[in-house]
Amino acid sequence: MKEVVYVENGQSHATGPDAVKANGFIYLAAIRGVNPATGACDTEDVGQQTRYAMENIKTALAAAGATMDDIVRVGLFMLDMNDRRELGKVYNEYFTEGNFPVRFAVGTTGVGGGPGDLSRFTMEVIAADPNA
């Protein structure tokens, strides 16, 4: 069985839900570094984009009944692999010591929402559903 989750004031995934719960997992829609208050990517600063993305992840997980510690896998699709260090500094603040999910990163040419979008990365997030 599959359950869709929508977040009020989410990242405006007009084509679908913010998360889907299925088979004991929670799959989040592509997460970018957009300002949770405006839904826009308003900075080129990778650290700030990471903070925005992590807050958006927390919000989507809470709507699905989970927390950051339930995340089991994060995929990073990055415009510039040299941004990994700055992204990692902020990213690591959001997890309990010793409870980091597996993570991979790949470089790509397309991660944003179209012309003028300042996005430096997109995250793919999979979490265990604690209520399954």
Side-chain angles (χ1 to χ4, degrees):
M1 188 165 112
K2 176 172 99 169
E3 176 186 344
V4 297
V5 177
Y6 291 91
V7 177
E8 186 175 334
N9 298 322
Q11 287 204 66
S12 301
H13 297 290
T15 59
D18 295 285
V20 173
K21 297 169 71 168
N23 300 319
F25 290 96
I26 301 167
Y27 302 89
L28 299 188
I31 303 292
R32 295 181 297 119
V34 300
N35 185 327
T38 66
C41 186
D42 58 14
T43 180
E44 289 187 64
D45 180 82
V46 173
Q48 184 60 50
Q49 284 191 23
T50 304
R51 196 162 307 287
Y52 286 160
M54 300 307 279
E55 291 300 322
N56 288 324
I57 291 168
K58 279 176 55 174
T59 299
L61 287 174
T67 70
M68 298 296 282
D69 284 338
D70 295 312
I71 296 175
V72 295
R73 180 176 181 246
V74 174
L76 294 165
F77 301 89
M78 306 182 74
L79 284 180
D80 186 345
M81 293 298 284
N82 292 316
D83 289 343
R84 285 180 299 169
R85 182 169 297 204
E86 187 176 350
L87 183 146
K89 287 179 191 174
V90 176
Y91 174 94
N92 290 341
E93 296 172 12
Y94 283 83
F95 296 98
T96 304
E97 184 65 33
N99 195 28
F100 294 100
V102 297
R103 180 174 83 178
F104 73 87
V106 295
T108 184
T109 58
V111 298
D117 189 302
L118 303 174
S119 295
R120 305 288 302 157
F121 60 85
T122 297
M123 290 187 185
E124 171 190 80
V125 178
I126 301 171
D129 185 350
N131 302 304

